[in-house]
Amino acid sequence: MTLAAMVGVCLVMLALALDGQAGLLTQAVVAALVLCIALVGRRFFMATTETLELTRAELRLASGRRLCALAEIEKVQRGAFGFQPSNGFVLHLTASAPSEWQLGLWWRLGRRLGVGGATSPAQNKAMAEALRLLLAEARGELDGLTR
């Protein structure tokens, strides 16, 4: 059971326990909170059913929507002290784009694209390293290494 579902159940129990003691306004506020938590929980669940795909040309969603082309990426930022999603990474892009957000999966603010949140830390690390290798290869920085 997710945290949102547990909080929703607790709020429903609270609303039922209030009876007539607290009044209709309090019960309406609790019911509105339950509805908001249910909507956020559903949106979070739907967002985490999406899959990110990395190709040699772009980073995209499984639905085909392109998040960014590899040619647009300046650098990949990982680390403990950066502004990034939980267990994720940030891509610094060459051009700014409209702000967008898919709960628990990715977000975009200006020239930054953050990936992570509800995704697996191991998969995020592997994707960040794969992006670094693809960028180094595209820039010719791997020419001296064996493949």
Side-chain angles (χ1 to χ4, degrees), residues 4-146:
M6 288 189 290
V7 171
V9 168
C10 289
L11 285 174
V12 167
M13 290 172 55
L14 175 67
L16 293 174
L18 288 175
D19 251 353
Q21 299 170 1
L24 288 175
L25 181 61
T26 305
Q27 287 179 327
V29 168
V30 171
L33 283 173
V34 169
L35 181 64
C36 288
I37 288 172
L39 291 174
V40 169
R42 176 163 168 71
R43 182 168 176 180
F44 186 74
F45 177 75
M46 296 306 292
T48 56
T49 60
E50 187 70 72
T51 305
L52 286 171
E53 296 177 346
L54 176 62
T55 67
R56 289 192 171 273
E58 64 189 5
L59 177 63
R60 66 180 181 217
L61 299 174
S63 61
R65 180 169 182 225
R66 189 176 101 181
L67 298 180
C68 70
L70 257 58
E72 299 172 343
I73 300 173
E74 287 181 347
K75 73 175 183 174
V76 179
Q77 177 186 355
R78 288 192 73 242
F81 302 109
F83 176 68
Q84 64 198 18
S86 173
N87 297 315
F89 58 92
V90 173
L91 302 176
H92 294 264
L93 306 175
T94 56
S96 183
S99 297
E100 294 181 75
W101 175 49
Q102 188 166 357
L103 185 65
L105 193 58
W106 64 274
W107 53 258
R108 178 178 303 154
L109 291 172
R111 293 179 45 209
R112 295 175 189 247
L113 175 67
V115 176
T119 55
S120 163
Q123 291 175 344
N124 287 339
K125 183 178 180 180
M127 183 176 281
E129 292 306 315
L131 274 165
R132 283 188 180 153
L133 285 173
L134 287 172
L135 291 174
E137 181 182 53
R139 295 175 183 152
E141 297 170 3
L142 294 180
D143 290 339
L145 300 175
T146 59

